Amino acid sequence: MKVLEAEFVRGFIRMANDGWEQGWHERNGGNLSYRMKKEEVASVAEALDTNGPWQEIGTTVPKLAGEYFLVTGSGKFFRNVKEQPEDSLCIIQLDEKGEKYRICWGLTGGGRPTSELPSHLMNHEVKLEVTGGKHRVIYHAHTTNVIALTFVLPLKDEVFTRELWEMATECPVVFPDGIGVVGWMVPGGRDIAVATSQLMKKYDVAIWAHHGMFCSGEDFDQTFGLMHTVEKSAEILVKTRSMRPDKLQTITPQNFRDLAVDFHVELPERFLYEK
Ligand code: 2HA
Ligand code: ZN
């Protein structure tokens, strides 16, 4: 099968374009990666070139040895993914030690996989383990309202989780484990990848202060929906704080406990502190 005819590739392109339309991907901002299923690799095998040179990932991900990923390209624009997918995206294969990758398809105009490849792969490695292989999608976006909040809220998991839970009743049901926050760090390297992947052991969402968000999920719908829900909640918080600094009423800790019972989710008590 041609790569562009495969359903997972069409889903990837649709998600990238949805993110562009949300306004989360100015210029070359953001990146997306998908860990391919064995049968998906087999379905496009004839279109893959497995003779390219091995290149350093910049970190080690031994549990992902031999895996194939569809990823956005470094410096490529989400705006172009739908019109020029062969140039904007690539399929990479990892070596048997999880130290190197090679490009098997895509990037027809040249280039490399996303500059955030270390973060994507370290997050994939953690999620492969903690979800028993269910999670396949890692998504990084420059979500405007979440970024704005990193200038005015304390950079604490408990604060971001609680404030964003309070902004929409569905939030604790969509991300019951909460949200992790990484203080400002230089992007693109191993240090920020390690910090983010530590948070991904507990959470499906990690915020990078003054930069954006990472989300992890099973498929494109779940992962896009998670990013969308968190960012919409942040938008409501920005709006309420713009109208007045305090809240006249909100969802209380006891309301959350009641919700948890009816919706069969566990909400950690550390997020339900008294203010
Ligand atoms: O430009 O988003 O974090 C791509 C990025 C880097
Ligand atoms: Zn970024």
Side-chain angles (χ1 to χ4, degrees), residues 140-253:
H140 169 57
H142 293 176
T143 42
T144 316
N145 293 284
V146 163
I147 296 169
L149 289 175
T150 65
F151 294 91
V152 300
L153 290 183
L155 298 175
K156 291 192 161 41
D157 303 3
E158 290 79 6
V159 174
F160 270 82
T161 299
R162 176 66 175 280
E163 290 299 320
L164 294 176
W165 276 1
E166 279 184 41
M167 289 304 110
T169 298
E170 66 159 8
C171 284
V173 179
V174 176
F175 50 97
D177 298 330
I179 295 178
V181 185
V182 180
W184 189 87
M185 290 180 80
V186 176
R190 187 170 184 276
D191 290 351
I192 197 166
V194 170
T196 312
S197 62
Q198 287 295 331
L199 293 175
M200 283 290 177
K201 290 180 182 166
K202 292 192 278 190
Y203 308 116
D204 292 338
V205 186
I207 290 172
W208 283 1
H210 323 325
H211 185 147
M213 234 195 301
F214 265 86
C215 287
S216 171
E218 292 185 19
D219 56 27
F220 301 121
D221 280 351
Q222 297 289 338
T223 316
F224 186 84
L226 179 57
M227 184 75 75
H228 200 190
T229 305
V230 176
E231 171 59 6
K232 176 159 183 180
S233 182
E235 182 181 350
I236 299 168
L237 186 54
V238 167
K239 286 188 166 146
T240 62
R241 287 176 77 107
S242 309
M243 288 185 277
R244 53 182 292 156
D246 58 341
K247 299 164 195 153
L248 274 188
Q249 52 275 322
T250 187
I251 305 170
T252 68

Side-chain angles (χ1 to χ4, degrees), residues 161 165 175-178 203 257 265-273:
T161 299
W165 276 1
F175 50 97
D177 298 330
Y203 308 116
R257 292 184 191 106
V265 288
E266 266 182 49
L267 302 179
E269 277 292 319
R270 73 186 174 99
F271 299 129
L272 303 180
Y273 51 86

Side-chain angles (χ1 to χ4, degrees), residues 26 28-31 75-76 114-116 140-142 187-188 208 211 214:
E26 76 291 341
N28 60 321
N31 20 78
K76 305 292 180 178
T114 169
S115 60
E116 302 293 359
H140 169 57
H142 293 176
W208 283 1
H211 185 147
F214 265 86

